[in-house]
Amino acid sequence: MAYQRTEITPEQIAEQEAVAARLREHFCAGGKTPLALVDTYGCQQNESDSEMLRGYLSEMGFGFTEDEFAADVVVINTCAVREHAEMRVLGNVGALNHSKKARPEQIICICGCMVQQAHMAEKLKHSYPIVNLVFGPHELWRFPALLEQTIRRKKRVFAVEVADGSIAEGAPRTRQGWPKAWLSVMYGCNNFCSYCVVPYVRGRERSRRPEEIVAEARTLVEQGYKDITLLGQNVNSYGKDLGCGTDFAGLLRLVNDIPGDFRIRFMTSHPKDATEDLFRAMAECEKCAHHLHLPVQAGNDRVLREMNRGYTAAQYLEKAALARRYMPDLVLTTDIIVGFPGETDAEFADTLRLVERVGYDAMFTFIFSPRVGTRAAAMPDPMSREDKQRNFDRLLETANAISAEKQAAYIGTVQEVLVDGVGREAGMLTGRTKNGRLVHFPGETGRIGEFVRVKITASNTWALSGETE
Ligand code: SAH
Ligand code: SF4
C-alpha cells in the first residue's frame, strides 16, 4: 500500500491563523469574550488534539467554560475504539438540544475518530440536526476555515473524507495539564489488529521529524513543564517512514539530552516491535521513566494470531523479562481484551495464567466491542455476553489482587514525586512517582510543579498515600 506523506506547510497554518483572526472580529464584536466548551473522549492523542482546537479557539478570542448553557461554540472530540465511548458521545450530543434551544446561535461541532467512520457521519447528518460542523482527525489543522465556512454559508458542514493523513507543524496549542505535557511523535497506525478501528480512522503511520520534536520538547522544558509524554499508537515504529536514521530509542536519547529537570514517558509500545535497544535506551536515559505500557491483549497463541498481533505468548514473556533485566524497578502495565470472537474459556485461562506470570502493576481490561469494517467484527462470536462478563470479572479480580500486592511493596519507601494537582479532599495533593505511580499526600497547592519526597505510608489497588518528608 503506497502512502504519500503530506506535510501541511507553515504557510497553510498561517492561513488558518489569518482566518482565526477574522473570526476573532466576528465573535468578539462589541467587545465581548465568547466562550467555548471543548469536551474530549478517548486516548491521550485526542487530549493532545484538543489542545490544538483550544489553541485556535484562543486565537479567535475565546475563553473556556464547562457549562454548555454558557458556550457560544461547543466542540466534542470523539473516540471510536469501543461502542461504549460512542454511546456516551451520542447521549451527550442529544443532551445539547437543551442548550441549543436556549441559545439558538450556539455552534455545535463534532470531530475526532467517531465521525471519521462513514456510518457515524451519516447518523449525525440524519438524526442530529442540531450539529453544525462535523470533521475527522485529518481536518483538525484547518478547524478555523471549517468554522468560518459553517458561519458564512449558514449551512451544515461535513468534512470527513477518507485520507491517509497528514502532518501539521506549528499550529497553536493551549495546554491544560501543567506540569505535564503531551508531545506527539507520530500519528496513525499500520498494524491493522483485527479488532481495531484506529488504522481506519487515523490513517497511516507518519512520524514527525526528530528536530521538530526536540525543538518542541525544549520549548516545553523552558516553559517549566516537568513531565513530557511522547505519544504514538506504536512508538516503536517511529522513524521507519522517515528513513533519517533516528528510531524511537534514538529519539529518547535526543530528548534526554535536553538540559533541565524533567521526566520523559511514552506510550504506546507494540510488543512485536519493542527491541533490546529500546530497553537499553530507557535504562540509560536518566530522565526516562522506567514504565513500559506493553499491551498484550491475550495470552493464547491462537487468539493472538486471530488478532493479528504478530507475537506469541512466549515471545511476549521473553520481551517482558528482557525489559526487567535492563530495569529491575520497571513498572509494567498492559491492555487486555476479553471475549474476542471465538475465544474459549480454556483460551481465556491462558490469559489469566500470563497475567499471573507477568505480575502487572496495572491493567486496562476491555470486553471485545465489534467495530464496523474490521475483520473481527465479521468473525463468528458464539460466547454469550454473560459468559464474557464472568471471565472479565475474574480477570479484574486477579489483576486487582496483583496490583494491590505490588502497590503495598512501596509502603515504607521514600519516593520522589512530581506534584501535579489537588486531591479531592481539601488540603490534599496528587503526584506521580518517577515510574508513574499515583500518590496522594497533604500539602499546599503552591507546590504544584515541584518535585517533593514523599514517605509512603499506605496503598490500595490504584494509589499510594503518604507524607512529605
Ligand atoms: N495503539 C495502542 C492502543 C490503541 S486502543 C496499542 O496498540 O496498544 C487502546 C486499547 O483499546 C487497546 O490496547 C485494546 O486493548 C483496546 N481495544 C481496541 N479495540 C478494541 C475493541 N474493538 N474492543 C475492545 N477493546 C479494544
Ligand atoms: Fe489498534 Fe493494533 Fe494499531 Fe494499536 S497497534 S492502534 S491496537 S491496530
Side-chain angles (χ1 to χ4, degrees):
M1 216 182 318
Y3 162 63
Q4 183 64 39
R5 183 184 166 94
T6 315
E7 296 196 18
I8 308 303
T9 61
E11 292 73 30
Q12 285 172 295
I13 296 292
E15 270 170 41
Q16 295 303 312
E17 295 189 292
V19 178
R22 279 205 296 277
L23 286 175
R24 186 184 186 109
E25 285 175 24
H26 167 86
F27 284 113
C28 302
K32 68 166 189 153
T33 303
L35 292 177
L37 184 157
V38 180
D39 197 7
T40 311
Y41 292 77
C43 66
Q44 291 84 357
Q45 183 55 53
N46 252 20
E47 295 287 344
S48 169
D49 288 348
S50 286
E51 293 176 349
M52 193 193 288
L53 292 166
R54 278 195 294 269
Y56 278 131
L57 286 161
S58 300
E59 292 196 344
M60 294 174 207
F62 279 85
F64 295 98
T65 177
E66 290 185 0
D67 174 9
E68 69 264 30
F69 287 92
D72 301 281
V73 170
V74 176
V75 188
I76 303 190
N77 190 4
T78 64
C79 170
V81 165
R82 281 171 296 275
E83 189 186 13
H84 179 68
E86 294 187 331
M87 297 320 282
R88 273 176 56 220
V89 166
L90 291 178
N92 286 349
V93 178
L96 290 175
N97 265 310
H98 302 291
S99 58
K100 185 88 169 187
K101 205 168 257 165
R103 311 175 68 104
E105 75 293 357
Q106 183 172 63
I107 300 172
I108 299 178
C109 316
I110 318 289
C111 64
C113 294
M114 183 183 96
V115 306
Q116 187 63 39
Q117 307 169 99
H119 70 286
M120 276 297 174
E122 281 301 304
K123 194 179 189 111
L124 288 169
K125 195 175 269 175
H126 297 299
S127 310
Y128 295 82
I130 57 166
V131 174
N132 303 97
L133 167 61
V134 171
F135 59 104
H138 307 309
E139 313 289 342
L140 200 79
W141 66 274
R142 60 186 197 102
F143 171 52
L146 292 169
L147 190 58
E148 189 179 49
Q149 250 182 48
T150 312
I151 294 165
R152 300 266 186 262
R153 289 204 205 149
K154 298 196 177 7
K155 249 176 58 183
R156 306 173 77 199
V157 172
F158 283 74
V160 288
E161 273 76 62
V162 176
D164 279 343
S166 53
I167 291 208
E169 293 294 349
R173 273 183 188 279
T174 300
R175 297 181 184 269
Q176 277 192 330
W178 187 85
K180 299 191 282 194
W182 310 119
L183 202 175
S184 297
V185 303
M186 60 189 299
Y187 307 97
C189 182
N190 290 353
N191 284 316
F192 288 93
C193 300
S194 63
Y195 50 82
C196 184
V197 77
V198 170
Y200 300 91
V201 292
R202 286 265 176 197
R204 298 290 66 75
E205 269 172 15
R206 50 217 189 266
S207 308
R208 293 179 66 194
R209 294 187 193 286
E211 53 277 20
E212 301 277 4
I213 296 166
V214 170
E216 187 173 341
R218 201 181 286 278
T219 305
L220 288 169
V221 173
E222 281 162 12
Q223 290 170 341
Y225 286 91
K226 299 276 191 289
D227 188 298
I228 298 177
T229 303
L230 308 178
L231 292 179
Q233 292 299 340
N234 174 15
V235 292
N236 299 328
S237 5
Y238 174 79
K240 285 184 185 163
D241 56 324
L242 287 177
C244 68
T246 305
D247 61 4
F248 187 67
L251 185 70
L252 265 187
R253 292 181 192 276
L254 289 176
V255 178
N256 190 67
D257 284 344
I258 298 172
D261 197 10
F262 66 101
R263 293 170 172 173
I264 308 168
R265 311 180 182 285
F266 62 88
M267 66 189 320
T268 292
S269 273
H270 194 304
K272 81 176 159 53
D273 302 317
T275 59
E276 183 160 5
D277 222 25
L278 171 72
F279 305 148
R280 195 179 303 116
M282 288 175 74
E284 288 174 4
C285 289
E286 74 286 356
K287 291 169 185 142
C288 186
H290 291 177
H291 171 204
L292 194 59
H293 184 61
L294 202 61
V296 66
Q297 312 297 1
N300 174 271
D301 287 346
R302 189 196 69 82
V303 175
L304 285 169
R305 210 167 37 245
E306 288 298 308
M307 287 179 162
N308 192 29
R309 288 293 286 178
Y311 53 84
T312 61
Q315 285 166 336
Y316 180 95
L317 288 168
E318 247 169 61
K319 290 250 165 114
L322 183 62
R324 280 185 166 144
R325 274 207 291 286
Y326 276 93
M327 294 165 283
D329 63 342
L330 182 71
V331 165
L332 198 58
T333 58
T334 203
D335 293 343
I336 291 185
I337 297 178
V338 176
F340 182 81
E343 183 184 62
T344 63
D345 281 336
E347 289 169 337
F348 168 73
D350 286 342
T351 298
L352 272 184
R353 256 192 298 278
L354 180 135
V355 160
E356 278 167 352
R357 250 182 96 178
V358 175
Y360 291 104
D361 292 81
M363 285 176 31
F364 301 88
T365 47
F366 311 102
I367 291 184
F368 170 73
S369 170
R371 305 285 70 208
V372 173
T374 59
R375 206 150 56 74
M379 293 178 184
D381 190 4
M383 192 183 275
S384 68
R385 176 79 196 190
E386 291 70 36
D387 286 346
K388 290 186 181 188
Q389 187 67 48
R390 174 181 39 82
N391 285 345
F392 180 86
D393 293 344
R394 252 185 91 194
L395 179 63
L396 203 61
E397 213 175 288
T398 307
N400 287 348
I402 298 170
S403 297
E405 198 182 308
K406 293 254 168 192
Q407 296 272 90
Y410 287 88
I411 295 176
T413 65
V414 174
Q415 299 288 323
E416 192 189 48
V417 171
L418 172 64
V419 189
D420 59 16
V422 289
R424 263 189 234 132
E425 289 164 47
M428 293 296 284
L429 297 176
T430 61
R432 294 266 167 188
T433 67
K434 172 122 187 225
N435 297 343
R437 306 288 76 208
L438 174 65
V439 188
H440 297 282
F441 51 97
E444 305 281 328
T445 52
R447 305 205 72 175
I448 293 175
E450 284 178 27
F451 291 102
V452 298
R453 290 171 62 79
V454 178
K455 171 130 200 215
I456 306 300
T457 52
S459 73
N460 62 28
T461 312
W462 294 107
L464 308 172
S465 50
E467 305 273 339
T468 44
E469 275 201 320

